[in-house]
């Protein structure tokens, strides 16, 4: 019978969900890094050395986490890839917030990754 098969949750389901989340987080991180870079460039900060130290650290952390996510994904470790991609997004979101002069956590709030308000977002803590 087909009764109650919708209640079965297998590892394949978990991996499918993880692949989707990893893709969104990586896409958002990439977009946030690009937008922040453009904002800093428009403000006259044309080299990495011209960025505030916190911004440089957030950018570097995001890029590093993106690389880890891509490596995990290539090993078919989709759950680990998702957690690394999520970290990349949070760091990139904080980088974007600083570049655009937004309240910390605003980028995460805009994407719905946190709904408690901008101050409750992980990226607001750097």
């Amino acid at each position: 019978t087909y009764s109650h098969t919708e209640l079965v949750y297998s590892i394949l389901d978990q991996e499918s969900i993880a692949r989707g989340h990893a893709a969104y987080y990586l896409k958002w991180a990439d977009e946030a890094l690009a937008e922040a870079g453009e904002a800093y460039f428009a403000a006259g900060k044309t080299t990495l050395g011209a960025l505030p130290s916190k911004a440089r650290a957030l950018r570097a952390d995001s890029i590093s986490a993106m690389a880890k996510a891509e490596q995990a994904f290539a090993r078919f470790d989709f759950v680990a890839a998702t957690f690394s991609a999520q970290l990349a997004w949070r760091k990139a979101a904080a980088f974007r917030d600083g570049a655009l002069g937004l309240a910390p956590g605003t980028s995460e709030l805009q994407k719905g990754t946190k709904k408690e308000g901008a101050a409750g977002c992980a990226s607001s803590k750097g």
Side-chain angles (χ1 to χ4, degrees), residues 7-100:
L7 300 178
V8 176
Y9 180 77
S10 73
I11 189 68
L12 295 176
D13 297 317
Q14 181 181 7
E15 288 181 346
S16 292
I17 293 166
R19 284 193 309 270
H21 280 102
Y24 277 110
Y25 286 135
L26 289 173
K27 179 180 184 287
W28 293 340
D30 191 47
E31 291 170 351
L33 289 172
E35 189 174 358
E38 290 168 5
Y40 278 123
F41 186 83
K45 295 177 179 10
T46 58
T47 64
L48 290 176
L51 297 177
S53 61
K54 182 177 179 179
R56 280 195 313 270
L58 288 168
R59 181 185 176 277
D61 290 347
S62 180
I63 292 169
S64 175
M66 288 174 81
K68 288 178 184 174
E70 291 165 0
Q71 291 166 357
F73 201 93
R75 292 189 317 269
F76 301 99
D77 189 351
F78 304 120
V79 175
T82 298
F83 283 111
S84 291
Q86 182 183 55
L87 177 62
W89 158 239
R90 287 185 172 154
K91 297 294 182 172
F95 180 62
R96 178 184 181 268
D97 291 345
L100 299 179

